[in-house]
């Protein structure tokens, strides 16, 4: 067992973990962060995307011990629980119907947040390229792209108000 200490969704946590435990397993099994979905276990689908020190990563491709001393944000950590408000990207996915079955949605949202942090005013093509590593088996991506572009508009509108 290896001791790890990290911050997850703003809370400090400390645990003993098997050195081979994946971050996605740690988040779900030890911390109950079930919004982080296990999809393909091969890093192809992106359903397990979280932020590690502010950058999106596929948590099925990261060992829990690699997160030691770092900060992890999950889909549960995006919303402002104290205020009862969704993150602007979460709200845009809701408003623009950027989901169908919802399985890929947490990973899509986490990737979109990272994309918009790097490029607050993306074109449609830039959104499509930026979301490329996250797969949806239900939609044609039209409303996902629309949701990301809407979030960019809302975020920039809120910043200028």
């Amino acid at each position: 067992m290896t001791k790890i200490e990290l911050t997850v969704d703003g809370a400090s946590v400390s645990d003993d973990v098997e050195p081979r435990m994946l971050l996605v397993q740690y988040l779900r099994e030890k911390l109950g962060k079930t919004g982080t979905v296990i999809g393909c276990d091969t890093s192809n689908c992106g359903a397990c995307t979280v932020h590690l020190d502010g950058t999106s990563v596929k948590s099925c491709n990261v060992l829990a011990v690699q997160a030691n001393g770092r900060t992890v944000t999950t889909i549960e950590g995006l919303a402002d629980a104290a205020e009862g408000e969704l993150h602007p990207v979460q709200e845009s996915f809701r408003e623009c119907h950027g989901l169908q079955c919802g399985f890929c949605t947490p990973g899509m949202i986490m990737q979109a947040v990272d994309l918009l942090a790097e490029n607050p005013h993306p074109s449609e093509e830039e959104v499509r390229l930026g979301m490329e590593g996250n797969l949806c088996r239900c939609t044609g991506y039209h409303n996902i792209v629309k949701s990301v572009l809407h979030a960019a508009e809302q975020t920039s509108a809120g910043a200028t108000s």
Side-chain angles (χ1 to χ4, degrees):
M1 299 294 275
T2 301
K3 184 171 188 73
I4 60 171
E5 296 178 2
L6 60 153
T7 302
V8 178
D9 295 338
S12 295
V13 295
S14 178
D15 270 307
D16 290 322
V17 298
E18 290 283 342
R20 67 177 181 251
M21 178 177 256
L22 296 172
L23 181 57
V24 68
Q25 294 169 318
Y26 176 71
L27 293 171
R28 291 179 59 83
E29 297 167 15
K30 292 272 197 169
L31 301 183
K33 300 289 184 173
T34 57
T36 302
V37 180
I38 296 175
C40 64
D41 271 336
T42 62
S43 76
N44 286 320
C45 75
C48 66
T49 301
V50 298
H51 292 170
L52 186 59
D53 293 335
T55 301
S56 64
V57 298
K58 294 175 181 177
S59 61
C60 74
N61 209 28
V62 176
L63 296 171
V65 295
Q66 291 175 296
N68 186 38
R70 300 174 79 181
T71 299
V72 176
T73 304
T74 69
I75 190 71
E76 292 97 334
L78 281 184
D80 186 344
E83 296 294 322
E85 295 180 8
L86 294 175
H87 184 278
V89 176
Q90 290 172 310
E91 183 62 33
S92 288
F93 267 68
R94 187 190 67 74
E95 285 180 26
C96 299
H97 310 285
L99 57 101
Q100 196 157 342
C101 81
F103 190 82
C104 69
T105 305
M108 290 284 185
I109 289 172
M110 298 304 290
Q111 183 62 31
V113 169
D114 189 33
L115 169 69
L116 293 176
E118 291 179 24
N119 182 358
H121 307 287
S123 66
E124 180 177 333
E125 182 179 345
E126 289 169 327
V127 170
R128 288 185 183 278
L129 287 172
M131 300 298 289
E132 193 171 62
N134 291 70
L135 302 178
C136 178
R137 292 174 176 92
C138 298
T139 71
Y141 297 94
H142 176 74
N143 284 349
I144 292 170
V145 173
K146 181 178 169 185
S147 298
V148 177
L149 292 171
H150 183 262
E153 290 170 13
Q154 296 303 307
T155 304
S156 65
T160 58
S161 316

mmCIF file of all heavy atoms in Angstrom, residues 89 92-93 95-99 104 108-109 112 115-116 121-132 134 136 139-154:
data_model
loop_
_atom_site.group_PDB
_atom_site.id
_atom_site.type_symbol
_atom_site.label_atom_id
_atom_site.label_comp_id
_atom_site.label_asym_id
_atom_site.label_seq_id
_atom_site.Cartn_x
_atom_site.Cartn_y
_atom_site.Cartn_z
ATOM 1 N N VAL A 89 -20.812 25.689 -17.972
ATOM 2 C CA VAL A 89 -20.802 24.649 -19.003
ATOM 3 C C VAL A 89 -21.873 23.600 -18.692
ATOM 4 O O VAL A 89 -22.581 23.156 -19.598
ATOM 5 C CB VAL A 89 -19.404 24.008 -19.151
ATOM 6 C CG1 VAL A 89 -19.431 22.855 -20.149
ATOM 7 C CG2 VAL A 89 -18.384 25.060 -19.590
ATOM 8 N N SER A 92 -25.111 25.131 -19.717
ATOM 9 C CA SER A 92 -25.260 25.180 -21.177
ATOM 10 C C SER A 92 -25.617 23.817 -21.754
ATOM 11 O O SER A 92 -26.426 23.729 -22.678
ATOM 12 C CB SER A 92 -23.980 25.701 -21.829
ATOM 13 O OG SER A 92 -23.844 27.079 -21.571
ATOM 14 N N PHE A 93 -25.024 22.756 -21.211
ATOM 15 C CA PHE A 93 -25.389 21.416 -21.672
ATOM 16 C C PHE A 93 -26.860 21.148 -21.368
ATOM 17 O O PHE A 93 -27.549 20.526 -22.173
ATOM 18 C CB PHE A 93 -24.503 20.351 -21.025
ATOM 19 C CG PHE A 93 -23.281 19.996 -21.836
ATOM 20 C CD1 PHE A 93 -22.248 20.909 -22.010
ATOM 21 C CD2 PHE A 93 -23.166 18.750 -22.420
ATOM 22 C CE1 PHE A 93 -21.118 20.591 -22.747
ATOM 23 C CE2 PHE A 93 -22.048 18.412 -23.166
ATOM 24 C CZ PHE A 93 -21.024 19.338 -23.337
ATOM 25 N N GLU A 95 -29.298 23.517 -21.005
ATOM 26 C CA GLU A 95 -30.117 24.414 -21.831
ATOM 27 C C GLU A 95 -30.127 24.010 -23.306
ATOM 28 O O GLU A 95 -31.155 24.142 -23.968
ATOM 29 C CB GLU A 95 -29.593 25.854 -21.731
ATOM 30 C CG GLU A 95 -29.926 26.548 -20.441
ATOM 31 C CD GLU A 95 -29.380 27.968 -20.399
ATOM 32 O OE1 GLU A 95 -29.188 28.580 -21.478
ATOM 33 O OE2 GLU A 95 -29.143 28.456 -19.279
ATOM 34 N N CYS A 96 -29.006 23.557 -23.817
ATOM 35 C CA CYS A 96 -28.882 23.265 -25.253
ATOM 36 C C CYS A 96 -29.044 21.780 -25.571
ATOM 37 O O CYS A 96 -28.759 21.362 -26.696
ATOM 38 C CB CYS A 96 -27.525 23.762 -25.763
ATOM 39 S SG CYS A 96 -27.290 25.537 -25.583
ATOM 40 N N HIS A 97 -29.458 21.005 -24.599
ATOM 41 C CA HIS A 97 -29.683 19.569 -24.808
ATOM 42 C C HIS A 97 -28.427 18.879 -25.326
ATOM 43 O O HIS A 97 -28.483 18.107 -26.289
ATOM 44 C CB HIS A 97 -30.876 19.325 -25.737
ATOM 45 C CG HIS A 97 -32.092 20.082 -25.327
ATOM 46 N ND1 HIS A 97 -32.867 19.719 -24.244
ATOM 47 C CD2 HIS A 97 -32.645 21.209 -25.824
ATOM 48 C CE1 HIS A 97 -33.851 20.582 -24.100
ATOM 49 N NE2 HIS A 97 -33.744 21.498 -25.036
ATOM 50 N N GLY A 98 -27.295 19.152 -24.676
ATOM 51 C CA GLY A 98 -26.016 18.588 -25.094
ATOM 52 C C GLY A 98 -25.782 17.180 -24.588
ATOM 53 O O GLY A 98 -24.643 16.772 -24.407
ATOM 54 N N LEU A 99 -26.843 16.467 -24.334
ATOM 55 C CA LEU A 99 -26.708 15.086 -23.887
ATOM 56 C C LEU A 99 -27.885 14.284 -24.413
ATOM 57 O O LEU A 99 -28.901 14.837 -24.803
ATOM 58 C CB LEU A 99 -26.674 15.002 -22.357
ATOM 59 C CG LEU A 99 -27.873 15.612 -21.627
ATOM 60 C CD1 LEU A 99 -28.839 14.536 -21.191
ATOM 61 C CD2 LEU A 99 -27.392 16.428 -20.458
ATOM 62 N N CYS A 104 -21.712 9.894 -21.424
ATOM 63 C CA CYS A 104 -20.472 10.594 -21.759
ATOM 64 C C CYS A 104 -20.440 12.022 -21.218
ATOM 65 O O CYS A 104 -19.401 12.667 -21.239
ATOM 66 C CB CYS A 104 -20.283 10.637 -23.273
ATOM 67 S SG CYS A 104 -21.476 11.711 -24.126
ATOM 68 N N MET A 108 -17.473 14.907 -21.207
ATOM 69 C CA MET A 108 -17.629 15.982 -22.201
ATOM 70 C C MET A 108 -17.551 17.350 -21.518
ATOM 71 O O MET A 108 -16.877 18.264 -22.004
ATOM 72 C CB MET A 108 -18.963 15.862 -22.941
ATOM 73 C CG MET A 108 -19.073 14.710 -23.877
ATOM 74 S SD MET A 108 -18.144 15.050 -25.394
ATOM 75 C CE MET A 108 -18.599 13.605 -26.332
ATOM 76 N N ILE A 109 -18.256 17.484 -20.412
ATOM 77 C CA ILE A 109 -18.272 18.764 -19.697
ATOM 78 C C ILE A 109 -16.886 19.103 -19.164
ATOM 79 O O ILE A 109 -16.416 20.237 -19.309
ATOM 80 C CB ILE A 109 -19.328 18.747 -18.576
ATOM 81 C CG1 ILE A 109 -20.732 18.775 -19.203
ATOM 82 C CG2 ILE A 109 -19.126 19.918 -17.610
ATOM 83 C CD1 ILE A 109 -21.871 18.573 -18.219
ATOM 84 N N ALA A 112 -14.794 20.198 -22.012
ATOM 85 C CA ALA A 112 -15.240 21.511 -22.497
ATOM 86 C C ALA A 112 -14.757 22.633 -21.586
ATOM 87 O O ALA A 112 -14.353 23.696 -22.065
ATOM 88 C CB ALA A 112 -16.762 21.542 -22.617
ATOM 89 N N LEU A 115 -11.176 23.132 -22.415
ATOM 90 C CA LEU A 115 -11.093 23.761 -23.733
ATOM 91 C C LEU A 115 -11.365 25.263 -23.633
ATOM 92 O O LEU A 115 -10.620 26.078 -24.181
ATOM 93 C CB LEU A 115 -12.085 23.106 -24.691
ATOM 94 C CG LEU A 115 -12.323 23.811 -26.034
ATOM 95 C CD1 LEU A 115 -11.094 23.734 -26.909
ATOM 96 C CD2 LEU A 115 -13.519 23.210 -26.738
ATOM 97 N N LEU A 116 -12.421 25.633 -22.918
ATOM 98 C CA LEU A 116 -12.780 27.052 -22.810
ATOM 99 C C LEU A 116 -11.793 27.830 -21.941
ATOM 100 O O LEU A 116 -11.635 29.036 -22.128
ATOM 101 C CB LEU A 116 -14.206 27.197 -22.283
ATOM 102 C CG LEU A 116 -15.291 26.689 -23.239
ATOM 103 C CD1 LEU A 116 -16.664 26.792 -22.588
ATOM 104 C CD2 LEU A 116 -15.258 27.441 -24.560
ATOM 105 N N HIS A 121 -12.973 31.792 -26.674
ATOM 106 C CA HIS A 121 -13.812 32.163 -27.821
ATOM 107 C C HIS A 121 -13.543 31.245 -29.013
ATOM 108 O O HIS A 121 -13.101 31.696 -30.072
ATOM 109 C CB HIS A 121 -13.554 33.625 -28.209
ATOM 110 C CG HIS A 121 -13.684 34.576 -27.076
ATOM 111 N ND1 HIS A 121 -14.899 34.916 -26.544
ATOM 112 C CD2 HIS A 121 -12.746 35.230 -26.353
ATOM 113 C CE1 HIS A 121 -14.712 35.749 -25.537
ATOM 114 N NE2 HIS A 121 -13.410 35.951 -25.395
ATOM 115 N N PRO A 122 -13.822 29.944 -28.861
ATOM 116 C CA PRO A 122 -13.503 29.014 -29.949
ATOM 117 C C PRO A 122 -14.513 29.091 -31.094
ATOM 118 O O PRO A 122 -15.679 29.442 -30.901
ATOM 119 C CB PRO A 122 -13.586 27.649 -29.272
ATOM 120 C CG PRO A 122 -14.644 27.842 -28.226
ATOM 121 C CD PRO A 122 -14.443 29.260 -27.731
ATOM 122 N N SER A 123 -14.040 28.752 -32.252
ATOM 123 C CA SER A 123 -14.928 28.581 -33.408
ATOM 124 C C SER A 123 -15.557 27.191 -33.305
ATOM 125 O O SER A 123 -15.121 26.356 -32.504
ATOM 126 C CB SER A 123 -14.133 28.681 -34.711
ATOM 127 O OG SER A 123 -13.239 27.586 -34.815
ATOM 128 N N GLU A 124 -16.535 26.925 -34.149
ATOM 129 C CA GLU A 124 -17.143 25.595 -34.159
ATOM 130 C C GLU A 124 -16.097 24.528 -34.463
ATOM 131 O O GLU A 124 -16.067 23.470 -33.823
ATOM 132 C CB GLU A 124 -18.279 25.521 -35.178
ATOM 133 C CG GLU A 124 -18.939 24.155 -35.215
ATOM 134 C CD GLU A 124 -20.109 24.060 -36.167
ATOM 135 O OE1 GLU A 124 -20.766 25.089 -36.445
ATOM 136 O OE2 GLU A 124 -20.373 22.928 -36.637
ATOM 137 N N GLU A 125 -15.236 24.795 -35.419
ATOM 138 C CA GLU A 125 -14.191 23.833 -35.772
ATOM 139 C C GLU A 125 -13.245 23.597 -34.592
ATOM 140 O O GLU A 125 -12.843 22.453 -34.330
ATOM 141 C CB GLU A 125 -13.403 24.321 -36.986
ATOM 142 C CG GLU A 125 -12.342 23.346 -37.433
ATOM 143 C CD GLU A 125 -11.566 23.824 -38.654
ATOM 144 O OE1 GLU A 125 -12.002 24.766 -39.344
ATOM 145 O OE2 GLU A 125 -10.506 23.231 -38.913
ATOM 146 N N GLU A 126 -12.888 24.661 -33.874
ATOM 147 C CA GLU A 126 -11.999 24.512 -32.712
ATOM 148 C C GLU A 126 -12.669 23.697 -31.607
ATOM 149 O O GLU A 126 -12.003 22.917 -30.926
ATOM 150 C CB GLU A 126 -11.573 25.885 -32.196
ATOM 151 C CG GLU A 126 -10.617 26.591 -33.125
ATOM 152 C CD GLU A 126 -10.388 28.048 -32.768
ATOM 153 O OE1 GLU A 126 -11.329 28.717 -32.268
ATOM 154 O OE2 GLU A 126 -9.264 28.530 -33.010
ATOM 155 N N VAL A 127 -13.977 23.850 -31.435
ATOM 156 C CA VAL A 127 -14.697 23.041 -30.448
ATOM 157 C C VAL A 127 -14.666 21.581 -30.879
ATOM 158 O O VAL A 127 -14.374 20.688 -30.074
ATOM 159 C CB VAL A 127 -16.149 23.529 -30.256
ATOM 160 C CG1 VAL A 127 -16.955 22.533 -29.419
ATOM 161 C CG2 VAL A 127 -16.172 24.905 -29.607
ATOM 162 N N ARG A 128 -14.960 21.322 -32.135
ATOM 163 C CA ARG A 128 -14.962 19.940 -32.621
ATOM 164 C C ARG A 128 -13.578 19.295 -32.447
ATOM 165 O O ARG A 128 -13.478 18.137 -32.024
ATOM 166 C CB ARG A 128 -15.411 19.874 -34.072
ATOM 167 C CG ARG A 128 -16.900 20.149 -34.229
ATOM 168 C CD ARG A 128 -17.394 19.962 -35.656
ATOM 169 N NE ARG A 128 -18.791 20.305 -35.762
ATOM 170 C CZ ARG A 128 -19.802 19.482 -35.434
ATOM 171 N NH1 ARG A 128 -19.538 18.276 -34.998
ATOM 172 N NH2 ARG A 128 -21.049 19.883 -35.546
ATOM 173 N N LEU A 129 -12.524 20.028 -32.743
ATOM 174 C CA LEU A 129 -11.171 19.504 -32.558
ATOM 175 C C LEU A 129 -10.836 19.331 -31.081
ATOM 176 O O LEU A 129 -10.235 18.332 -30.685
ATOM 177 C CB LEU A 129 -10.144 20.425 -33.221
ATOM 178 C CG LEU A 129 -10.097 20.386 -34.736
ATOM 179 C CD1 LEU A 129 -9.178 21.479 -35.281
ATOM 180 C CD2 LEU A 129 -9.646 19.022 -35.229
ATOM 181 N N GLY A 130 -11.242 20.290 -30.269
ATOM 182 C CA GLY A 130 -10.946 20.243 -28.839
ATOM 183 C C GLY A 130 -11.679 19.151 -28.086
ATOM 184 O O GLY A 130 -11.237 18.706 -27.031
ATOM 185 N N MET A 131 -12.805 18.710 -28.626
ATOM 186 C CA MET A 131 -13.605 17.663 -27.981
ATOM 187 C C MET A 131 -13.326 16.291 -28.599
ATOM 188 O O MET A 131 -13.937 15.291 -28.207
ATOM 189 C CB MET A 131 -15.097 17.994 -28.108
ATOM 190 C CG MET A 131 -15.509 19.310 -27.478
ATOM 191 S SD MET A 131 -15.241 19.382 -25.707
ATOM 192 C CE MET A 131 -16.519 18.265 -25.144
ATOM 193 N N GLU A 132 -12.408 16.235 -29.525
ATOM 194 C CA GLU A 132 -12.141 15.058 -30.328
ATOM 195 C C GLU A 132 -11.872 13.780 -29.520
ATOM 196 O O GLU A 132 -12.251 12.693 -29.921
ATOM 197 C CB GLU A 132 -10.941 15.353 -31.233
ATOM 198 C CG GLU A 132 -10.702 14.384 -32.328
ATOM 199 C CD GLU A 132 -9.641 14.921 -33.268
ATOM 200 O OE1 GLU A 132 -8.494 15.140 -32.838
ATOM 201 O OE2 GLU A 132 -9.983 15.142 -34.436
ATOM 202 N N ASN A 134 -13.185 12.768 -26.809
ATOM 203 C CA ASN A 134 -14.338 12.338 -26.025
ATOM 204 C C ASN A 134 -15.414 11.837 -26.977
ATOM 205 O O ASN A 134 -15.847 12.568 -27.858
ATOM 206 C CB ASN A 134 -14.867 13.488 -25.169
ATOM 207 C CG ASN A 134 -13.907 13.850 -24.066
ATOM 208 O OD1 ASN A 134 -12.841 14.388 -24.308
ATOM 209 N ND2 ASN A 134 -14.273 13.523 -22.851
ATOM 210 N N CYS A 136 -19.156 10.111 -27.982
ATOM 211 C CA CYS A 136 -20.563 9.953 -27.643
ATOM 212 C C CYS A 136 -21.135 8.941 -28.618
ATOM 213 O O CYS A 136 -20.989 9.096 -29.827
ATOM 214 C CB CYS A 136 -21.306 11.287 -27.766
ATOM 215 S SG CYS A 136 -23.067 11.121 -27.424
ATOM 216 N N THR A 139 -25.276 10.690 -29.897
ATOM 217 C CA THR A 139 -25.602 11.910 -30.635
ATOM 218 C C THR A 139 -24.717 12.072 -31.857
ATOM 219 O O THR A 139 -23.742 11.357 -32.036
ATOM 220 C CB THR A 139 -25.421 13.164 -29.751
ATOM 221 O OG1 THR A 139 -24.009 13.364 -29.543
ATOM 222 C CG2 THR A 139 -26.133 13.033 -28.435
ATOM 223 N N GLY A 140 -25.032 13.050 -32.639
ATOM 224 C CA GLY A 140 -24.195 13.435 -33.766
ATOM 225 C C GLY A 140 -23.295 14.591 -33.393
ATOM 226 O O GLY A 140 -22.744 15.252 -34.261
ATOM 227 N N TYR A 141 -23.166 14.881 -32.113
ATOM 228 C CA TYR A 141 -22.312 15.917 -31.550
ATOM 229 C C TYR A 141 -22.836 17.331 -31.791
ATOM 230 O O TYR A 141 -22.295 18.285 -31.242
ATOM 231 C CB TYR A 141 -20.863 15.821 -32.064
ATOM 232 C CG TYR A 141 -20.185 14.541 -31.665
ATOM 233 C CD1 TYR A 141 -20.178 13.443 -32.511
ATOM 234 C CD2 TYR A 141 -19.563 14.419 -30.429
ATOM 235 C CE1 TYR A 141 -19.563 12.261 -32.149
ATOM 236 C CE2 TYR A 141 -18.947 13.245 -30.060
ATOM 237 C CZ TYR A 141 -18.952 12.169 -30.914
ATOM 238 O OH TYR A 141 -18.340 11.000 -30.551
ATOM 239 N N HIS A 142 -23.869 17.505 -32.589
ATOM 240 C CA HIS A 142 -24.348 18.847 -32.903
ATOM 241 C C HIS A 142 -24.687 19.627 -31.630
ATOM 242 O O HIS A 142 -24.233 20.762 -31.454
ATOM 243 C CB HIS A 142 -25.562 18.784 -33.843
ATOM 244 C CG HIS A 142 -26.158 20.127 -34.127
ATOM 245 N ND1 HIS A 142 -25.542 21.039 -34.958
ATOM 246 C CD2 HIS A 142 -27.280 20.736 -33.664
ATOM 247 C CE1 HIS A 142 -26.255 22.145 -35.001
ATOM 248 N NE2 HIS A 142 -27.319 21.977 -34.230
ATOM 249 N N ASN A 143 -25.478 19.051 -30.738
ATOM 250 C CA ASN A 143 -25.874 19.777 -29.528
ATOM 251 C C ASN A 143 -24.758 19.869 -28.503
ATOM 252 O O ASN A 143 -24.759 20.772 -27.668
ATOM 253 C CB ASN A 143 -27.128 19.158 -28.917
ATOM 254 C CG ASN A 143 -28.373 19.527 -29.691
ATOM 255 O OD1 ASN A 143 -28.348 20.400 -30.564
ATOM 256 N ND2 ASN A 143 -29.473 18.869 -29.386
ATOM 257 N N ILE A 144 -23.800 18.976 -28.566
ATOM 258 C CA ILE A 144 -22.633 19.086 -27.693
ATOM 259 C C ILE A 144 -21.823 20.310 -28.101
ATOM 260 O O ILE A 144 -21.459 21.145 -27.267
ATOM 261 C CB ILE A 144 -21.788 17.800 -27.736
ATOM 262 C CG1 ILE A 144 -22.573 16.645 -27.094
ATOM 263 C CG2 ILE A 144 -20.442 18.005 -27.055
ATOM 264 C CD1 ILE A 144 -21.953 15.280 -27.291
ATOM 265 N N VAL A 145 -21.557 20.433 -29.387
ATOM 266 C CA VAL A 145 -20.816 21.597 -29.902
ATOM 267 C C VAL A 145 -21.603 22.875 -29.608
ATOM 268 O O VAL A 145 -21.033 23.876 -29.147
ATOM 269 C CB VAL A 145 -20.532 21.440 -31.409
ATOM 270 C CG1 VAL A 145 -19.930 22.708 -31.995
ATOM 271 C CG2 VAL A 145 -19.618 20.244 -31.653
ATOM 272 N N LYS A 146 -22.908 22.832 -29.850
ATOM 273 C CA LYS A 146 -23.771 23.985 -29.575
ATOM 274 C C LYS A 146 -23.686 24.376 -28.091
ATOM 275 O O LYS A 146 -23.621 25.562 -27.757
ATOM 276 C CB LYS A 146 -25.211 23.625 -29.959
ATOM 277 C CG LYS A 146 -26.221 24.719 -29.769
ATOM 278 C CD LYS A 146 -27.601 24.220 -30.236
ATOM 279 C CE LYS A 146 -28.700 25.169 -29.823
ATOM 280 N NZ LYS A 146 -30.027 24.643 -30.159
ATOM 281 N N SER A 147 -23.650 23.394 -27.212
ATOM 282 C CA SER A 147 -23.560 23.652 -25.769
ATOM 283 C C SER A 147 -22.252 24.336 -25.397
ATOM 284 O O SER A 147 -22.240 25.273 -24.593
ATOM 285 C CB SER A 147 -23.689 22.340 -24.991
ATOM 286 O OG SER A 147 -24.923 21.732 -25.212
ATOM 287 N N VAL A 148 -21.155 23.873 -25.980
ATOM 288 C CA VAL A 148 -19.851 24.467 -25.682
ATOM 289 C C VAL A 148 -19.795 25.902 -26.193
ATOM 290 O O VAL A 148 -19.334 26.814 -25.491
ATOM 291 C CB VAL A 148 -18.704 23.607 -26.262
ATOM 292 C CG1 VAL A 148 -17.354 24.274 -26.009
ATOM 293 C CG2 VAL A 148 -18.737 22.199 -25.667
ATOM 294 N N LEU A 149 -20.283 26.123 -27.407
ATOM 295 C CA LEU A 149 -20.298 27.478 -27.965
ATOM 296 C C LEU A 149 -21.211 28.394 -27.143
ATOM 297 O O LEU A 149 -20.873 29.564 -26.902
ATOM 298 C CB LEU A 149 -20.738 27.443 -29.430
ATOM 299 C CG LEU A 149 -19.748 26.782 -30.396
ATOM 300 C CD1 LEU A 149 -20.375 26.606 -31.776
ATOM 301 C CD2 LEU A 149 -18.454 27.585 -30.475
ATOM 302 N N HIS A 150 -22.332 27.875 -26.685
ATOM 303 C CA HIS A 150 -23.248 28.652 -25.844
ATOM 304 C C HIS A 150 -22.582 29.014 -24.516
ATOM 305 O O HIS A 150 -22.698 30.151 -24.042
ATOM 306 C CB HIS A 150 -24.541 27.866 -25.607
ATOM 307 C CG HIS A 150 -25.557 28.604 -24.819
ATOM 308 N ND1 HIS A 150 -25.714 28.407 -23.466
ATOM 309 C CD2 HIS A 150 -26.466 29.539 -25.179
ATOM 310 C CE1 HIS A 150 -26.686 29.196 -23.031
ATOM 311 N NE2 HIS A 150 -27.152 29.892 -24.045
ATOM 312 N N ALA A 151 -21.865 28.065 -23.935
ATOM 313 C CA ALA A 151 -21.147 28.338 -22.684
ATOM 314 C C ALA A 151 -20.097 29.424 -22.889
ATOM 315 O O ALA A 151 -19.941 30.313 -22.042
ATOM 316 C CB ALA A 151 -20.486 27.063 -22.162
ATOM 317 N N ALA A 152 -19.408 29.388 -24.039
ATOM 318 C CA ALA A 152 -18.418 30.416 -24.337
ATOM 319 C C ALA A 152 -19.082 31.783 -24.442
ATOM 320 O O ALA A 152 -18.561 32.772 -23.891
ATOM 321 C CB ALA A 152 -17.676 30.079 -25.632
ATOM 322 N N GLU A 153 -20.229 31.841 -25.093
ATOM 323 C CA GLU A 153 -20.968 33.108 -25.221
ATOM 324 C C GLU A 153 -21.422 33.610 -23.864
ATOM 325 O O GLU A 153 -21.289 34.800 -23.554
ATOM 326 C CB GLU A 153 -22.198 32.924 -26.115
ATOM 327 C CG GLU A 153 -21.908 32.700 -27.569
ATOM 328 C CD GLU A 153 -23.161 32.287 -28.357
ATOM 329 O OE1 GLU A 153 -24.292 32.406 -27.820
ATOM 330 O OE2 GLU A 153 -22.997 31.829 -29.494
ATOM 331 N N GLN A 154 -21.975 32.713 -23.056
ATOM 332 C CA GLN A 154 -22.482 33.094 -21.737
ATOM 333 C C GLN A 154 -21.368 33.553 -20.818
ATOM 334 O O GLN A 154 -21.527 34.523 -20.084
ATOM 335 C CB GLN A 154 -23.239 31.924 -21.087
ATOM 336 C CG GLN A 154 -24.481 31.507 -21.838
ATOM 337 C CD GLN A 154 -25.461 32.647 -22.024
ATOM 338 O OE1 GLN A 154 -25.846 33.311 -21.071
ATOM 339 N NE2 GLN A 154 -25.846 32.902 -23.266
#
